[in-house]
Amino acid sequence: MNAYEEYMKEITQPMRDELTEAGFQELTTPEEVSEFMSQNEEPALVVVNSICGCAAGLARPAIVASLESPQRPNQLVTVFAGQDREATAAMREYFDVEPSSPSMAIVKNGQLQHFIPRENIEDHEVEEIVNQLTQAYQTYC
C-alpha cells in the first residue's frame, strides 16, 4: 500500500466505523458483493458510503437514525465509493441506475427494490432522509 492509500485508509476509517458500529457489514471485494447478493433472500439495506460532506452530515446520520424504526431490514451492508472501488462497481451492477454516492438501496433476492440517490440526500434535512428510508422499509420490509 502506498503512502496515499495508507493516508486515505486512515482518514476514512471513522466514516466506515460510523456504519459498522451501527451493525453494517462492509463488503470490500467484488467476491464479497457477489456472495452477499447470491445469498440475499430477505430485504437488505445497502449503503454506498462516501467521503463527501453530504455523506457525513446527512446520509450516515439519517441511516443510523432510521435503524430505530421497528420495521427495517435485518441485513445491513455497505460498500465505500472511491475506496473499495471494485466492490462498489460490483454492487452497482445490481442496481441498474446511474452511479450515485452516497446512496442507499433496498435489495431482495439479489434485485434492487428501492433506490435513494445522492440527489435525494444532498440539500435535504436528516429528518427528510430518515422519512424516505422508513417509508421504504414499510413498503419493502
Side-chain angles (χ1 to χ4, degrees):
M1 185 177 301
N2 68 34
Y4 173 76
E5 290 169 334
E6 187 64 38
Y7 172 76
M8 290 307 295
K9 183 178 180 193
E10 185 178 316
I11 291 297
T12 58
Q13 193 59 52
M15 300 169 201
R16 294 173 181 273
D17 293 347
E18 194 169 353
L19 292 179
T20 58
E21 289 171 4
F24 282 81
Q25 173 191 356
E26 279 191 301
L27 305 177
T28 60
T29 67
E31 295 78 19
E32 289 174 346
V33 169
S34 178
E35 181 179 348
F36 173 78
M37 292 300 275
S38 70
Q39 296 174 2
N40 168 243
E41 294 178 355
E42 61 183 69
L45 177 60
V46 178
V47 173
V48 179
N49 201 354
S50 175
I51 196 168
C52 72
C54 69
L58 299 170
R60 288 192 301 270
I63 291 160
V64 172
S66 79
L67 299 178
E68 298 299 318
S69 175
Q71 188 172 354
R72 68 176 186 88
N74 291 324
Q75 293 184 301
L76 308 170
V77 297
T78 181
V79 294
F80 205 116
Q83 300 302 305
D84 302 321
R85 287 182 170 89
E86 295 85 8
T88 303
M91 184 60 78
R92 285 176 170 157
E93 288 179 15
Y94 291 94
F95 292 170
D96 195 32
V97 296
E98 284 291 315
S100 180
S101 59
S103 60
M104 302 148 218
I106 295 181
V107 298
K108 181 179 178 184
N109 296 322
Q111 300 291 316
L112 179 65
Q113 304 294 308
H114 185 76
F115 188 74
I116 300 174
R118 178 188 179 115
E119 67 189 36
N120 290 3
I121 299 167
E122 194 172 38
D123 298 326
H124 288 74
E125 296 295 323
V126 169
E127 296 76 18
E128 292 175 286
I129 303 163
V130 170
N131 287 339
Q132 290 180 62
L133 285 164
T134 55
Q135 287 174 7
Y137 299 164
Q138 291 168 5
T139 302
Y140 299 101
C141 298

